[in-house]
Amino acid sequence: MATSASHRALGAALAVTVVAATATACAGAGGGIGPGDSSSINVLMVNNPQMLDIQKLTAEQFTQRTGIKVNYTVLPENDVRDKISQEFSSQAGQYDVATISNYEVPFYAKNEWLAPLDSHIAADPGFDQEDVLPSMRQSLTADDGHVYAEPFYGESSFLMYRKDVFQAKGLTMPENPTWQQVADLAAKVDGAQPGMRGICLRGQPGWGQLFAPLTTVVNTFGGTWFSKDWQAQVNSPEFKRATQFYVDLVRAHGEAGAPQAGFAECLNNMTQGKAAMWYDATSAAGLLEAPDSPVAGKLGFAQAPVDRTKSSGWLYTWAWGMQKASTKQDLAWKFISWASSKDYENLVGSKLGWSRIPDGKRSSTYRNPDYLKVTNAFAPQTERALTSADPRNPGVQPRPTVGIQFVDIPEFTELATRISQDVSAAIAGSSTVDEALDSGQERAARVAAKHKGGQ
Amino acid sequence: MTTKQAWRPWGVLAWFAGILFVLPVLWMVLTSLHSESDAATNPPSIAAKLTFQGYAEFFGATTGVSPWPPLLNSASASIGSTVLVLLLSVPAAYALSIKPVRKWSDVLFFFLSTKMLPVVAGILPIYLVAQYTGMLDNIWFLILLYTSMNLPIAVWLMRSFLAEVPKEMLEAAAIDGASLVTTLRKVVAPVAMPGIAATSLICFIFSWNELLFARVLTGVVAGTAPVFLTSFVTSQGLFLAKVCAAATVISLPVLVAGFTAQDKLVQGLSLGAVK
């Protein structure tokens, strides 16, 4: 008995040693690999066309001039958000720069995950920070007054419509339409051509899908997610009226398959002549007016429709933020300064075409004759939408935090995504707006409770 | 597989089920050969013009990003971990079946219990361990993880394969005066070969396709092929054809490994020593 027990103990000890030895062997051998090059930086970015352009141009245009090698990791939007929050919250220091949006910047800055950029900006007059649109600067500046990110490109939202279809029907689109006017026009142009619906509006669940346009409608109808003192307002009469209006409009004159339609689906509908109007991101205009688009030249652009506010366009930007734990902040700034510069816009314009430049962030872009030659159909309206957006005061009442089409708290993505599933169901007809928003109110109240008093 | 057999009702059903399962794969290959705009139409355009543009994109035609580093990373992670798993699981299985240790069933249960915690529940501690030991974005860390992930399954599989080795053969070898090494090499190995092939195949497939750990723990240098595959997905613009092309290329090594191992499997089984 004793022998067998000692045998077993010996066996176990041996097994442990073998596993441990293997583990250390692996660790030892792997030590040499790693992004430790002193003249290279690592950039984590979202897979959008503008990012792929910079990836292509970097080696020839940036590395050759500065000697700084840039290693990119490209991921789709949801994955990149996960990865960035994981990387920045643990301050792992693997990435020096990441693309973050104006949604992340304020609370990332509050959590001290980002390096302030003020000193870099001050030391780099050629960057011309004053040229960056004021609404952009404001949305990338945290409550402490420091700048924490520089925009790569930005967008607002506006109304795109088929000028040719409106003309054929003898209709005119006001420059600043109200939502009621848009609903009336949608009824009139519905079916103007075979298979053409009156309007395309996002119905796909997601805080960044359905709730981006819908929250701007809520804002202008006088609603808000939260009051100044963190009271949830999701089932308030204004929020309900706005949502009911949106759902009714999509159900009556919206695109086929609306509960699944997001930005990409609406873009497809619009390109294929299956919608006469579309309220969405200003960045869609460039895609609709692209040389190979079948609807190029047939489009008109109006400001985001309103009800009780003067303007209601949203504000969104993908911007470069620097991780606080980065040990190469000077190199990282050199990269940011290049990527967000006027020169980079000119470079893309001359190399890849003016319709592809990362626009919507600098006022100089909208004075650039080369750019305006290609984009004059929508550039003035885009600039107006971008400058009239007010992220601190987007509705009729004071707000507890910044954000137009979102509320700038970490819980918002999950909260809005959950409620959007119910609103999407209301668009599909399997639920009602009242049900969706009443259960949404409970969720929102739980989130609000966390922030009450924490301000 | 004669024509007569195929026409039996069960044969028809089997064919139907088989086609049903292969159809999505064929659809993926077909989509990968379409242009982006044809791939995105609804209803789908089956008869659209074929093009290799998706494959060109995968190999970096427009972005200049080479797919080889991630493919090589995947190959080293999968092959490396499979070799380690075999080195550890075959002796373990031997000790649990042919010469079972005391309470071998408890040991087996212990191995299985390590699979009971959902992977996602361990991801945060593992990330922190990797961060503090400087092993983030390091392919060796993935090899280690995949090894430990697949080891329990491999031990279970190998044990059931080794349990098939008839006691009579081992006794016969002992009577002939064969040493342990000779017994292992000449008696156990040939019978266990199909089992080893099946186990390696499963370990290889599991590590080749693993996405969660790879996505969380790698970055610039150690990214594997599945992570690279997701990088084609974009929320602005069309990507179906590219992603399908990438998925097709990335599944090729698994298919090849599968066919190779299948060959070995059948061969091993038909060499059955007792019959």
Side-chain angles (χ1 to χ4, degrees):
Chain A
M1 195 67 202
T3 14
S4 109
S6 68
H7 255 120
R8 260 185 291 150
L10 184 67
L14 263 176
V16 170
T17 326
V18 167
V19 172
T22 327
T24 36
C26 290
I33 316 174
D37 196 343
S38 64
S39 62
S40 75
I41 58 167
N42 296 332
V43 176
L44 179 56
M45 63 183 182
V46 62
N47 184 346
N48 283 350
Q50 291 90 337
M51 279 69 176
L52 299 186
D53 285 343
I54 199 170
Q55 188 177 23
K56 203 169 7 179
L57 293 168
T58 299
E60 203 178 287
Q61 302 291 336
F62 180 70
T63 308
Q64 246 180 32
R65 192 166 45 80
T66 59
I68 303 169
K69 191 170 178 295
V70 185
N71 304 311
Y72 291 105
T73 303
V74 183
L75 289 171
E77 184 164 338
N78 288 338
D79 294 3
V80 93
R81 279 184 200 282
D82 287 353
K83 184 116 185 146
I84 291 172
S85 65
Q86 159 202 319
E87 163 86 14
F88 278 52
S89 62
S90 66
Q91 289 290 300
Q94 278 197 91
Y95 290 95
D96 304 286
V97 176
T99 52
I100 49 182
S101 73
N102 49 330
Y103 166 69
E104 278 97 1
V105 167
F107 63 86
Y108 271 36
K110 206 169 166 185
N111 293 339
E112 300 189 358
W113 295 345
L114 295 167
L117 302 177
D118 311 70
S119 58
H120 296 289
I121 295 167
D124 188 358
F127 180 73
D128 197 0
Q129 172 78 356
E130 290 305 302
D131 182 41
V132 176
L133 293 169
S135 56
M136 285 288 154
R137 264 184 283 154
Q138 197 189 8
S139 63
L140 300 177
T141 303
D143 288 339
D144 64 5
H146 294 298
V147 179
Y148 283 97
E150 287 297 346
F152 184 41
Y153 64 90
E155 63 175 37
S156 182
S157 58
F158 61 8
L159 187 69
M160 297 158 267
Y161 63 98
R162 286 284 296 273
K163 239 176 3 194
D164 55 333
V165 174
F166 273 62
Q167 237 155 30
K169 282 254 168 191
L171 301 167
T172 46
M173 171 68 76
E175 215 175 293
N176 292 297
T178 65
W179 271 113
Q180 197 48 55
Q181 287 171 325
V182 171
D184 295 343
L185 288 167
K188 287 179 188 153
V189 291
D190 200 353
Q193 289 178 4
M196 178 181 275
R197 305 304 309 264
I199 190 164
C200 203
L201 290 170
R202 299 185 193 177
Q204 191 184 93
W207 71 281
Q209 286 288 2
L210 169 62
F211 259 122
L214 179 52
T215 301
T216 70
V217 180
V218 168
N219 286 336
T220 192
F221 272 63
T224 179
W225 283 83
F226 301 103
S227 64
K228 177 86 183 157
D229 57 348
W230 289 110
Q231 301 288 335
Q233 302 288 319
V234 173
N235 66 353
S236 68
E238 293 84 5
F239 204 117
K240 272 197 178 161
R241 196 168 75 86
T243 311
Q244 192 67 53
F245 173 86
Y246 188 95
V247 170
D248 289 347
L249 180 55
V250 183
R251 282 178 64 83
H253 306 294
E255 70 278 14
Q260 285 85 40
F263 176 87
E265 288 75 12
C266 281
L267 176 64
N268 242 348
N269 281 336
M270 203 67 189
T271 320
Q272 295 172 1
K274 290 180 186 165
M277 287 189 276
W278 180 23
Y279 171 60
D280 215 303
T282 53
S283 58
L287 302 169
L288 291 174
E289 292 282 6
D292 59 344
S293 157
V295 292
K298 296 179 181 169
L299 296 160
F301 302 89
Q303 291 302 300
V306 290
D307 189 54
R308 285 174 58 188
T309 57
K310 277 209 180 79
S311 68
S312 86
W314 73 54
L315 193 71
Y316 193 74
T317 171
W318 278 109
W320 306 107
M322 202 190 284
Q323 185 171 182
K324 200 165 193 186
S326 163
T327 53
K328 299 172 188 167
Q329 300 200 351
D330 287 336
L331 301 187
W333 171 257
K334 274 191 187 144
F335 169 76
I336 295 175
S337 165
W338 172 68
S340 291
S341 67
K342 292 176 230 174
D343 290 345
Y344 178 74
E345 290 186 2
N346 292 331
L347 175 73
V348 175
S350 58
K351 289 254 169 193
L352 306 172
W354 288 97
S355 61
R356 280 169 71 171
I357 75 167
D359 52 6
K361 63 173 187 287
R362 287 179 171 273
S363 22
S364 58
T365 313
Y366 297 93
R367 315 276 164 274
N368 185 329
D370 292 319
Y371 172 72
L372 291 176
K373 212 187 297 168
V374 180
T375 62
N376 60 352
F378 56 88
Q381 289 91 332
T382 306
E383 191 193 7
R384 230 189 95 198
L386 280 164
T387 46
S388 54
D390 183 353
R392 296 228 166 241
N393 194 19
V396 300
Q397 64 283 87
R399 302 295 174 95
T401 180
V402 293
I404 299 178
Q405 76 279 26
F406 53 78
V407 183
D408 208 283
I409 47 174
E411 297 89 351
F412 182 75
T413 48
E414 207 207 322
L415 173 68
T417 299
R418 293 295 280 278
I419 303 177
S420 72
Q421 288 160 354
D422 295 340
V423 176
S424 186
I427 293 175
S430 59
S431 168
T432 67
V433 169
D434 281 349
E435 281 167 19
L437 297 186
D438 286 342
S439 75
Q441 170 72 12
E442 285 170 34
R443 292 181 194 283
R446 280 199 292 273
V447 169
K450 281 195 231 169
H451 289 271
K452 253 178 245 169
Q455 277 299 292
Chain B
M1 175 103 44
T2 65
T3 20
K4 210 178 158 193
Q5 272 176 324
W7 279 109
R8 284 178 195 164
W10 286 114
V12 174
L13 192 71
W15 271 102
F16 179 74
I19 289 169
L20 203 68
F21 277 89
V22 175
L23 215 55
V25 180
L26 293 181
W27 185 253
M28 173 182 86
V29 176
L30 182 68
T31 308
S32 75
L33 291 167
H34 281 163
S35 69
E36 289 294 355
S37 48
D38 286 332
T41 53
N42 190 12
S45 44
I46 298 174
K49 211 162 56 105
L50 298 185
T51 162
F52 281 98
Q53 191 53 37
Y55 290 89
E57 296 274 346
F58 174 76
F59 286 100
T62 53
T63 55
V65 181
S66 163
W68 292 113
L71 283 172
L72 284 177
N73 281 336
S74 267
S76 19
S78 318
I79 296 172
S81 69
T82 305
V83 169
L84 279 178
V85 163
L86 285 184
L87 285 178
L88 294 171
S89 68
V90 173
Y94 184 86
L96 291 172
S97 55
I98 294 179
K99 289 271 165 66
V101 293
R102 268 162 177 271
K103 298 202 173 167
W104 58 271
S105 57
D106 289 359
V107 177
L108 262 186
F109 181 75
F110 165 72
F111 275 118
L112 193 67
S113 72
T114 62
K115 293 297 287 181
M116 288 178 186
L117 184 75
V119 172
V120 73
I123 200 95
L124 182 66
I126 289 175
Y127 180 84
L128 291 176
V129 167
Q131 189 191 339
Y132 290 126
T133 52
M135 295 295 280
L136 276 179
D137 201 15
N138 190 321
I139 197 70
W140 286 103
F141 194 67
L142 278 192
I143 293 181
L144 187 66
L145 276 180
Y146 292 170
T147 304
S148 42
M149 208 172 74
N150 290 332
L151 196 54
I153 302 169
V155 170
W156 268 75
L157 276 174
M158 282 314 301
R159 196 205 76 88
S160 57
F161 282 117
L162 290 187
E164 301 280 300
V165 177
K167 280 264 169 342
E168 297 81 6
M169 276 172 62
L170 295 171
E171 282 161 9
I175 289 166
D176 288 348
S179 67
L180 177 64
V181 178
T182 318
T183 315
L184 280 178
R185 222 162 44 101
K186 297 234 165 122
V187 181
V188 178
V191 185
M193 215 48 211
I196 293 177
T199 309
S200 343
L201 179 66
I202 281 178
C203 292
F204 180 82
I205 292 177
F206 281 176
S207 350
W208 182 269
N209 290 340
E210 204 281 332
L211 176 65
L212 184 63
F213 279 131
R215 202 188 70 176
V216 171
L217 298 170
T218 68
V220 181
V221 289
T224 58
V227 182
F228 185 66
L229 170 74
T230 65
S231 77
F232 288 99
V233 179
T234 168
S235 46
Q236 294 178 10
L238 305 172
F239 59 84
L240 267 181
K242 265 181 286 191
V243 167
C244 284
T248 307
V249 177
I250 291 172
S251 18
L252 277 182
V254 178
L255 277 181
V256 170
F259 279 116
T260 324
Q262 191 187 36
D263 209 38
K264 281 270 178 339
L265 277 175
V266 176
Q267 207 180 44
L269 288 175
S270 62
L271 280 177
V274 198
K275 282 171 198 157

